[in-house]
Amino acid sequence: MSGPNVVIIYTDDLGWGDLGCYGSTDVETPHLDALAERGVRFTQWYSNSPVCSPSRASLLTGRHPAHAGVESILGAARTVTGLPDQPTLASRLGELGWTTAIFGKWHLGVEPGSAPQRRGFGRHLGFRAGCVDYYSHIMYWGNRHPLHDLWDDDTEIWRNGEYLTDVITDEAVDFLTAVRDPFFCYVSYNAPHYPMHAPADAMDRFAHLPWERQVMAAMISRVDDGVGRIVETLRRTGRLDDTIIVFSSDNGPSAEERNWLGGEEIAYPGGSAGGLRGHKGSLFEGGIRVPGIWSWPAGLPQGVQCDEPAMMMDVLPTVLAAAGSPVDDVDGVDLGPLLRDGGAGERTLCWAYESQLAVRRGRWKLVIDPSERLGTPSVPGRLLFDLEADPAERQDRSGDRPEVLAELSAAAADWSADLDRWRAGAADPTG
């Protein structure tokens, strides 16, 4: 079967305000800005979770995290299981004849049975857990034992001293140069996730910024360089027009203390949520609203801004519909009509993380027992926000709009019932 090639470029802890095309004035991202000009830039694109493993599960399965069977950040031990066996975007495209590969971060299971090759990918070079040192590719975390984590399929490899963002780009470019159509290439950068490492030449570009912002900008710019190389490879090989490129981030920017290299136990200020409230780990907008860019010159308009909300789980059904194989066994929806002509009906979007719940319908969003960021306690309560008038979620409207509060509270109760049903059926993730 023939159809468009697919390249998904996924970043890690990249904030909604960290790209030039999303309003950043200090991080220069010319290649991503150009990608947005050649496609559709979402202003209200959401991750399905404010943390990494669940959001990646939703991206690859088209399902909510609880339905996919991954709701929390997965560990790094080599015995850690991950995403339950079920159809993924890679396996579905593979069955249709697409060659599939992932380069970079997996974070959906470390033990061999949970590796990318067991979830539909024919090729993987990268790491299986959540974070590694960018040069040694070893995970150092608190007082736990260091763990080396770099793999070429099922073979552990050592490429000491090579900056991992560049390794990921190099491998993706090599794959794209050699592979035959059609293909699915998942480029899963770990930048700008901690540890905060960037090459000297990238740091020099932003020497005028405070250190915490300088290193963040340097790490993001290296990803941007990689995007430029990937796009140029597609252009050089004559595939750019008929390749769907999706760019996004797994969640909002991290404010975790372990980002900091000075040893201080303080919240890290490096990433930007673009004025939105909350960070990674929060169901406020800053934790879940992320950059979302779609480019497909042969199939989509160019230079378009889309203000309709959409989610990571929509990627799978949208891509499969474009490939001529629509599906109806997932939670996401085909965004094709929205991407092509702006047509969209009102949706109810839902999130759950730890004790937090959130529901959005139209301009209104209900946040239940929210937390401001990873590692801070949730605060009991129900907060209602008008995102059209107050995208920064500063004014709680629950007191003066009781009818909206009641409507979204009922939707939250239905959402909780869905969560209970999925969790009860976790032994059968295909259901």
Side-chain angles (χ1 to χ4, degrees), residues 58-133:
S58 288
L59 168 66
L60 291 177
T61 66
R63 293 173 166 177
H64 285 289
H67 196 183
V70 179
E71 294 189 77
S72 60
I73 300 173
L74 297 177
R78 293 190 176 181
T79 56
V80 169
T81 58
L83 182 69
D85 190 13
Q86 61 195 289
T88 66
L89 181 57
S91 68
R92 292 176 192 258
L93 286 175
E95 291 171 356
L96 296 173
W98 271 247
T99 301
T100 61
I102 170 176
F103 302 103
K105 176 173 175 173
W106 176 236
H107 209 187
L108 288 172
V110 181
E111 58 89 22
S114 299
Q117 302 94 297
R118 260 60 74 187
R119 299 296 179 266
F121 287 98
R123 172 94 171 90
H124 175 227
L125 191 142
F127 63 105
R128 295 177 179 173
C131 64
V132 290
D133 178 290

Side-chain angles (χ1 to χ4, degrees), residues 363-396:
R363 64 192 294 165
W364 295 100
K365 179 183 172 190
L366 174 67
V367 186
I368 300 174
D369 299 343
S371 169
E372 295 286 346
R373 64 181 181 90
L374 197 66
T376 60
S378 61
V379 178
R382 294 179 177 239
L383 306 179
L384 179 68
F385 300 103
D386 178 353
L387 293 181
E388 189 172 307
D390 178 28
E393 297 173 296
R394 298 301 178 192
Q395 185 178 2
D396 176 19

Side-chain angles (χ1 to χ4, degrees), residues 179-216:
V179 69
R180 295 182 178 181
D181 298 341
F183 58 80
F184 168 36
C185 182
Y186 178 26
V187 186
S188 184
Y189 289 110
N190 51 318
H193 193 292
Y194 61 79
M196 309 311 292
H197 294 164
D201 61 331
M203 291 289 284
D204 289 344
R205 297 185 197 177
F206 302 97
H208 58 287
L209 296 177
W211 182 87
E212 65 274 4
R213 192 59 177 158
Q214 178 191 14
V215 68
M216 177 66 68

Side-chain angles (χ1 to χ4, degrees), residues 215-238:
V215 68
M216 177 66 68
M219 295 171 77
I220 295 170
S221 73
R222 205 59 161 215
V223 169
D224 186 72
D225 291 343
V227 171
R229 290 182 58 201
I230 289 167
V231 169
E232 179 55 34
T233 301
L234 293 169
R235 180 182 288 110
R236 174 172 51 81
T237 56

Side-chain angles (χ1 to χ4, degrees), residues 124-404:
H124 175 227
L125 191 142
F127 63 105
R128 295 177 179 173
C131 64
V132 290
D133 178 290
Y134 282 76
Y135 290 99
S136 69
H137 318 129
I138 293 173
M139 179 180 179
Y140 301 94
W141 200 343
N143 59 3
R144 304 180 188 180
H145 296 295
L147 177 68
H148 179 262
D149 190 12
L150 191 64
W151 302 84
D152 187 342
D153 292 338
D154 285 325
T155 302
E156 186 174 7
I157 60 173
W158 284 262
R159 295 178 64 168
N160 297 342
E162 296 184 47
Y163 187 61
L164 190 52
T165 300
D166 294 344
V167 170
I168 293 169
T169 299
D170 290 345
E171 294 294 332
V173 166
D174 288 348
F175 172 81
L176 293 171
T177 299
V179 69
R180 295 182 178 181
D181 298 341
F183 58 80
F184 168 36
C185 182
Y186 178 26
V187 186
S188 184
Y189 289 110
N190 51 318
H193 193 292
Y194 61 79
M196 309 311 292
H197 294 164
D201 61 331
M203 291 289 284
D204 289 344
R205 297 185 197 177
F206 302 97
H208 58 287
L209 296 177
W211 182 87
E212 65 274 4
R213 192 59 177 158
Q214 178 191 14
V215 68
M216 177 66 68
M219 295 171 77
I220 295 170
S221 73
R222 205 59 161 215
V223 169
D224 186 72
D225 291 343
V227 171
R229 290 182 58 201
I230 289 167
V231 169
E232 179 55 34
T233 301
L234 293 169
R235 180 182 288 110
R236 174 172 51 81
T237 56
R239 293 150 153 171
L240 183 59
D241 283 353
D242 202 24
T243 297
I244 297 172
I245 302 176
V246 182
F247 176 88
S248 192
S249 174
D250 61 354
N251 47 250
S254 171
E256 297 164 83
E257 286 84 353
R258 55 178 167 258
N259 282 289
W260 197 262
L261 291 180
E264 299 90 343
E265 292 294 325
I266 57 177
Y268 177 72
S272 172
L276 301 176
R277 181 176 180 178
H279 287 78
K280 175 181 179 179
S282 172
L283 292 186
F284 288 126
E285 293 288 286
I288 51 177
R289 191 190 293 197
V290 291
I293 300 171
W294 287 71
S295 173
W296 182 20
L300 297 178
Q302 300 188 36
V304 171
Q305 174 178 301
C306 180
D307 298 322
E308 294 292 329
M311 304 185 82
M312 215 73 70
M313 67 182 182
D314 299 331
V315 171
L316 181 147
T318 305
V319 167
L320 288 174
S325 184
V327 294
D328 59 7
D329 59 343
V330 297
D331 303 321
V333 301
D334 173 16
L335 297 176
L338 175 62
L339 288 163
R340 287 188 294 270
D341 57 31
E346 186 173 86
R347 299 175 65 185
T348 300
L349 305 182
C350 302
W351 297 264
Y353 180 64
E354 295 185 337
S355 60
Q356 305 173 71
L357 293 178
V359 176
R360 176 175 180 177
R361 182 177 292 161
R363 64 192 294 165
W364 295 100
K365 179 183 172 190
L366 174 67
V367 186
I368 300 174
D369 299 343
S371 169
E372 295 286 346
R373 64 181 181 90
L374 197 66
T376 60
S378 61
V379 178
R382 294 179 177 239
L383 306 179
L384 179 68
F385 300 103
D386 178 353
L387 293 181
E388 189 172 307
D390 178 28
E393 297 173 296
R394 298 301 178 192
Q395 185 178 2
D396 176 19
R397 300 291 301 279
S398 59
D400 62 299
R401 295 303 298 267
E403 75 286 359
V404 179

